[in-house]
Amino acid sequence: MSPPKGEHNPNAVLCTLLSLKRPKKTISVTNVTPKKRSEKPTFASFKKVIEQAKKNKTVDITMPENVINTHLLTAVNAKRDLLFFWDEMLRESLLELSSEEKETIEKYIKGNPISKKTIRDLLDVIHKKSQLEKNETSRFLARTRDKLYDEKLKNYDFKNLCDEDRKINWLWCYIRKNANKEVRHLGYKKNLKGKPTKQIIRKKLELDENYLEDFPQNNAEKRKAQIEKCLVFSPYSEKGEEMLSNHLKDEWRKNIDKNEMIKWLDGCHYNQLIWAYNYIKKREEIRYTWAPSSYEDMKSVLVAVYDLIVVVKKNWPPVYS
């Protein structure tokens, strides 16, 4: 007997799933029986079977093509990213390609600007030439993405950039203030004797401040996670990542000896804190900080504003009266 119109037939759904290409490996299936023999299967009970199977890890579910596409489309923001994936595919022999085909694809990637079309063209090759099942291909791309992110964070020396709350708060505010503006980058160039010499270059800070969101109950750890995303999804080359890291470290060094505000806050009372916060609300730098959620957080905002000020005047921090 066919189901009434407008209702899903669970048997038809099962048939559709079973018609999908199965992995070569043997699959063990979780048996789930209705509480009563007369109980008819519903979409909810079918969903329960799937969830139980997932929890027991007894089913190897084939990944659809759009999941594979997502791994690459979301991870690649620069040509260096795409080349990283390509190199890993060659190293792990993911694709069944001739030497001539490999050479042609590599020339295409290197010779064209990064774009969604370039990424999708490589995805077409992956779908047609991968030697693994789709779920295994998806896992390979996910591992490669994580490996790429780790390498990027290592180039940025992320651990040292964000090894204390004060630095995290300053960096979060600094990026919000200077994103897509020209800043001084420190580079190194070999002189005639072959020795590296410092070189100052003015370049745009190519970071997306939209990753740095201010929301209630935000804290240094959450800001650190946002900074990590901001750096990982940047369009920099490997050399650019190292240059940006040097720039951020140089900018932070300007704050190492600026401890007057810290000392002042250690000894201030409630009325002084409120007065000081109202005072800095008049400054332009307050726009790049966050809305404090507590009195302690208010102190962190004060320090962040203090660290953002390039030239500290003699009358800063302000004198409470």
Side-chain angles (χ1 to χ4, degrees), residues 7 22 24 57 62 73 101 122 124 144 180 192 196 234:
E7 290 186 11
R22 298 183 181 185
K24 294 178 182 177
K57 298 181 179 179
T62 301
L73 286 167
E101 287 172 326
L122 183 56
D124 286 342
T144 304
N180 297 309
L192 295 174
S234 70

Side-chain angles (χ1 to χ4, degrees), residues 223 261 264-265 268-278 280-281 286 289-305:
R223 281 188 278 275
M261 176 61 77
W264 186 83
L265 286 171
C268 78
H269 53 71
Y270 173 77
N271 289 339
Q272 288 175 309
L273 183 61
I274 298 300
W275 173 84
Y277 184 72
N278 288 331
I280 64 163
K281 281 167 73 175
I286 195 71
T289 62
W290 63 94
S293 57
S294 64
Y295 297 133
E296 284 301 312
D297 202 24
M298 199 177 288
K299 290 182 180 181
S300 297
V301 172
L302 282 162
V303 175
V305 169

Side-chain angles (χ1 to χ4, degrees), residues 33-61:
T33 55
K35 292 180 180 178
K36 299 178 182 177
R37 289 184 180 273
S38 60
E39 185 180 338
K40 292 183 179 180
T42 62
F43 180 75
S45 64
F46 175 63
K47 186 178 178 183
K48 184 179 177 182
V49 172
I50 295 175
E51 291 300 320
Q52 184 176 339
K54 284 182 182 177
K55 286 178 183 177
N56 292 338
K57 298 181 179 179
T58 56
V59 178
D60 197 3
I61 299 172

Side-chain angles (χ1 to χ4, degrees), residues 71-83:
H71 283 316
L72 208 60
L73 286 167
T74 56
V76 174
N77 294 279
K79 185 176 289 190
R80 66 91 86 219
D81 302 342
L82 197 59
L83 284 169

Side-chain angles (χ1 to χ4, degrees), residues 190-195:
K190 289 185 179 180
N191 58 19
L192 295 174
K193 295 181 180 179
K195 293 183 179 180

Side-chain angles (χ1 to χ4, degrees), residues 63-121:
M63 292 288 182
E65 287 189 6
N66 63 335
V67 176
I68 293 174
N69 295 350
T70 300
H71 283 316
L72 208 60
L73 286 167
T74 56
V76 174
N77 294 279
K79 185 176 289 190
R80 66 91 86 219
D81 302 342
L82 197 59
L83 284 169
F84 185 91
F85 272 91
W86 173 246
D87 289 341
E88 286 295 304
M89 289 176 205
L90 294 180
R91 193 175 66 83
E92 296 288 339
S93 301
L94 175 71
L95 308 174
E96 190 176 1
L97 298 170
S98 66
S99 298
E100 187 179 349
E101 287 172 326
K102 290 176 185 176
E103 188 178 343
T104 302
I105 294 168
E106 189 158 325
K107 281 183 180 178
Y108 175 74
I109 295 173
K110 289 181 177 178
N112 287 281
I114 192 68
S115 66
K116 283 191 176 180
K117 182 184 181 305
T118 316
I119 300 168
R120 289 192 181 279
D121 286 344

Side-chain angles (χ1 to χ4, degrees), residues 170-183:
W170 165 80
L171 183 53
W172 191 87
C173 297
Y174 181 84
I175 294 172
R176 280 168 61 101
K177 180 182 179 183
N178 294 289
N180 297 309
K181 295 177 184 175
E182 279 200 352
V183 293

